[in-house]
Amino acid sequence: METIGLIAGNGRFPVLFARAARARGLRVVAVAHRGETEPDLEREADSVTWVRVGQVGRVIRALKAGGVSRAVMAGGVNKVRSMFSLRPDWRAMRLLGRAAGRGDDALLRAVSAELESEGIEIVPSTVFLQDIVVERGHLAGPPLSEREAADVRLGCRVLAALGPLDIGQCVVVERGVVLAIEAVEGTDRTIERGGSLGTGRAVVIKAAKTGQDMRFDVPAVGPRTIETMVRSGAGVLAVQAGATIMLEGERLIEMAARQGITVVGCDEHGNVGQS
Amino acid sequence: METIGLIAGNGRFPVLFARAARARGLRVVAVAHRGETEPDLEREADSVTWVRVGQVGRVIRALKAGGVSRAVMAGGVNKVRSMFSLRPDWRAMRLLGRAAGRGDDALLRAVSAELESEGIEIVPSTVFLQDIVVERGHLAGPPLSEREAADVRLGCRVLAALGPLDIGQCVVVERGVVLAIEAVEGTDRTIERGGSLGTGRAVVIKAAKTGQDMRFDVPAVGPRTIETMVRSGAGVLAVQAGATIMLEGERLIEMAARQGITVVGCDEHGNVGQS
């Protein structure tokens, strides 16, 4: 039986990953982060070792002890919480020193190199989840209006400008006005802020950062995204096709359709059409 | 006696402008916006005509009736409030149709062209206020640490990326992490959000947008900026020298010094030194 390692962050993604991997007959050896990972993971993985954010040495030991040679990273960590409570072990200290920037990708690339030096290859977490990578086109709700399509394109321009700085995966736009830009507060709070500044049909755009390494924390939307939009008064969700995954997609599409929320997959320029 | 027109938005800036212009012996003919401009302006200007946001025709008539051939725009308007409550007159409608983009500058440029076609020249509001344009260097509080200087430079990179899109004048950074980026919520709310995510020494960077037309709403800081920083737990204020004005500068510097808040003027790359 093949073994896959799972370095689990927060949210539903690690749980869904473990379930999908086991459904394919794999053994899942997970490392979970205290205060981040959902305890549910215990039910879906074959083994779970709990560590604190920053204990890179313990992550490596747990994976090696579990016989892991291939692992995925799934789910993020709360950047603000971890930024100020991080107690890195010596291995993390060494790689923090080497990491070129302080952006997520730079740090995760350093963690990934550390693991690979120990014979553990990091593979994209979408490996068993190709069916949930968002495709281009109309996915739910009323058709996109001209105005909304223009807002999607503007949002993509904003995200393209911020991407090289390793920040920003989400932006909220209405009638050509950029209502909110995500920094570290996370996508849900960005949607709440932007939606509450709009008139009920604000457009939420979620995309990958330019050159984002898909082995780390793939941008994801899920039913909670739709719940946040309903609560905040946002009306359109545009996600970058090919670079974003949809968790519990059927439920998301069904919720969006019922709430009259439009969901589309678009390219990095915000185009939804297939041409 | 020379007459100067004042198209007044919100905040202290219009009031301070009128006071400075009258101190120079000018007659101030003001147009104030209901729900935006502080009623105090009545005491500082020679005449005030109240209009609603979007009544461009009335602005022109009021300035012409007052014998104005040169006017300034001072203070912003609440973009979110005006976006959804705007009832433009025919003149505003016509120029909204012509405005290339929906960014502030594009709209204000169109308003400005409309006024100039009527013989009213728009001049920068800093015309009588050169002494309050921020200069480069250390202005108040403890010296900037290495870490804070790096945060200032990062913030300037973020603002430089967003500037061409006509958004973003403020960003909050701490330890290399971008905590908050301003969209339409305004600088105070951005400072509140970013500061509350930091540890008490978050760095606030305020700059002009790339190519910002200084005839319209010059970026300004004032004592309220320091109050917001104290309340939110931000510790450093870096403002772009030459492109930002400091309202009630003596009071701001005195408040910052008393609160241990560092204030610096920097160039567009975030450099504070004079070289």
Side-chain angles (χ1 to χ4, degrees):
Chain A
M1 186 186 274
E2 198 192 335
T3 298
I4 185 101
L6 166 60
I7 303 168
N10 57 30
R12 291 307 290 164
F13 190 16
V15 175
L16 294 167
F17 176 86
R19 195 178 298 162
R22 293 231 290 186
R24 302 230 172 183
L26 281 88
R27 188 171 145 257
V28 176
V29 172
V31 182
H33 289 86
R34 280 183 220 284
E36 296 285 342
T37 307
E38 297 187 0
D40 273 20
L41 184 62
E42 301 260 11
R43 283 207 300 272
E44 304 286 348
D46 292 274
S47 78
V48 177
T49 306
W50 289 89
V51 304
R52 293 184 190 282
V53 174
Q55 296 187 307
V56 177
R58 288 197 65 187
V59 170
I60 289 171
R61 285 196 299 279
L63 294 177
K64 287 180 83 169
V68 167
S69 60
R70 284 203 313 160
V72 302
M73 295 179 175
V77 296
N78 182 315
K79 283 170 272 190
V80 172
R81 192 163 55 213
S82 67
M83 177 167 67
F84 300 120
S85 66
L86 191 72
R87 268 173 252 134
D89 59 20
W90 71 268
R91 202 140 190 169
M93 291 286 269
R94 206 176 52 177
L95 72 86
L96 277 168
R98 278 200 304 258
R102 294 290 304 269
D104 293 357
D105 260 30
L107 277 177
L108 291 170
R109 219 181 298 276
V111 170
S112 179
E114 194 74 18
L115 288 160
E116 292 188 355
S117 76
E118 294 282 349
I120 299 164
E121 185 195 3
I122 301 297
V123 297
S125 55
T126 48
V127 64
F128 307 122
L129 300 169
Q130 276 310 324
D131 48 333
I132 67 167
V133 173
V134 174
E135 288 181 22
R136 210 157 110 175
H138 179 268
L139 303 172
L144 212 57
S145 72
E146 273 303 305
R147 196 262 296 164
E148 290 161 353
D151 286 347
V152 171
R153 289 190 298 269
L154 174 58
C156 285
R157 286 176 61 206
V158 173
L159 293 175
L162 289 172
L165 294 160
D166 200 9
I167 44 174
Q169 289 189 327
C170 179
V171 63
V172 183
V173 180
E174 188 169 344
R175 303 191 203 183
V177 176
V178 180
L179 297 172
I181 304 171
E182 179 177 349
V184 296
E185 69 276 42
T187 296
D188 285 343
R189 287 205 190 167
T190 306
I191 293 173
E192 282 165 9
R193 185 169 75 251
S196 70
L197 291 170
T199 58
R201 286 292 289 174
V203 176
V204 174
I205 299 100
K206 173 117 184 170
K209 290 176 275 193
T210 314
Q212 179 159 20
D213 192 324
M214 289 298 161
R215 294 175 304 167
F216 319 136
D217 191 27
V218 186
V221 293
R224 203 180 60 178
T225 314
I226 303 295
E227 280 166 20
T228 307
M229 289 177 65
V230 170
R231 198 172 58 241
S232 326
V236 176
L237 176 64
V239 288
Q240 191 185 344
T244 312
I245 59 174
M246 191 175 283
L247 304 174
E248 302 174 69
E250 277 182 36
R251 215 177 120 220
L252 183 152
I253 295 295
E254 189 269 319
M255 281 173 65
R258 198 175 54 225
Q259 298 281 353
I261 287 180
T262 299
V263 181
V264 297
C266 61
D267 69 12
E268 74 270 34
H269 305 294
N271 298 315
V272 177
Q274 294 298 329
S275 65
Chain B
M1 187 188 272
E2 199 193 334
T3 298
I4 185 100
L6 166 59
I7 303 169
N10 57 31
R12 292 306 290 164
F13 189 15
V15 174
L16 294 168
F17 175 87
R19 194 178 298 163
R22 295 231 291 185
R24 303 230 171 182
L26 279 88
R27 188 172 143 254
V28 176
V29 172
V31 181
H33 288 87
R34 279 182 219 283
E36 297 285 342
T37 307
E38 297 187 359
D40 273 20
L41 183 63
E42 301 260 11
R43 284 207 299 272
E44 303 286 348
D46 293 274
S47 78
V48 178
T49 305
W50 288 89
V51 303
R52 293 184 189 283
V53 174
Q55 296 188 307
V56 177
R58 288 197 66 185
V59 170
I60 290 171
R61 284 196 299 278
L63 294 178
K64 288 179 81 168
V68 168
S69 61
R70 285 204 311 161
V72 303
M73 295 177 174
V77 296
N78 182 313
K79 284 169 271 189
V80 172
R81 193 163 53 215
S82 67
M83 178 167 66
F84 300 120
S85 67
L86 191 72
R87 267 174 252 134
D89 59 19
W90 73 269
R91 203 140 189 169
M93 291 286 270
R94 205 175 52 180
L95 71 87
L96 278 168
R98 277 199 303 259
R102 294 292 304 267
D104 293 358
D105 260 30
L107 276 178
L108 290 171
R109 220 180 298 275
V111 170
S112 179
E114 193 74 17
L115 287 161
E116 292 189 355
S117 76
E118 294 282 350
I120 299 164
E121 185 196 3
I122 301 296
V123 297
S125 55
T126 49
V127 65
F128 308 120
L129 301 169
Q130 276 310 323
D131 47 333
I132 66 168
V133 173
V134 174
E135 286 181 25
R136 209 156 112 174
H138 178 267
L139 303 172
L144 212 57
S145 72
E146 273 303 306
R147 196 265 296 165
E148 290 161 352
D151 286 347
V152 171
R153 288 190 298 270
L154 174 58
C156 285
R157 285 176 60 208
V158 173
L159 293 175
L162 289 172
L165 294 161
D166 199 11
I167 44 174
Q169 291 190 325
C170 179
V171 65
V172 183
V173 181
E174 188 169 345
R175 303 190 204 185
V177 176
V178 180
L179 296 172
I181 304 172
E182 179 178 349
V184 297
E185 69 275 42
T187 296
D188 284 343
R189 288 205 189 166
T190 306
I191 294 173
E192 282 165 9
R193 184 168 76 250
S196 68
L197 292 169
T199 58
R201 286 293 289 176
V203 177
V204 174
I205 300 100
K206 173 117 184 169
K209 291 175 275 194
T210 314
Q212 180 160 20
D213 192 323
M214 289 299 162
R215 294 176 304 167
F216 320 136
D217 191 28
V218 186
V221 293
R224 202 179 61 178
T225 313
I226 303 295
E227 281 167 20
T228 306
M229 289 177 66
V230 171
R231 199 171 58 240
S232 326
V236 176
L237 175 63
V239 288
Q240 191 185 344
T244 313
I245 59 173
M246 190 174 282
L247 304 174
E248 303 175 67
E250 278 183 35
R251 217 179 117 218
L252 183 152
I253 294 295
E254 189 269 321
M255 279 173 66
R258 199 176 52 225
Q259 299 282 352
I261 287 180
T262 300
V263 181
V264 298
C266 62
D267 69 12
E268 72 271 34
H269 305 294
N271 297 315
V272 176
Q274 294 298 326
S275 64

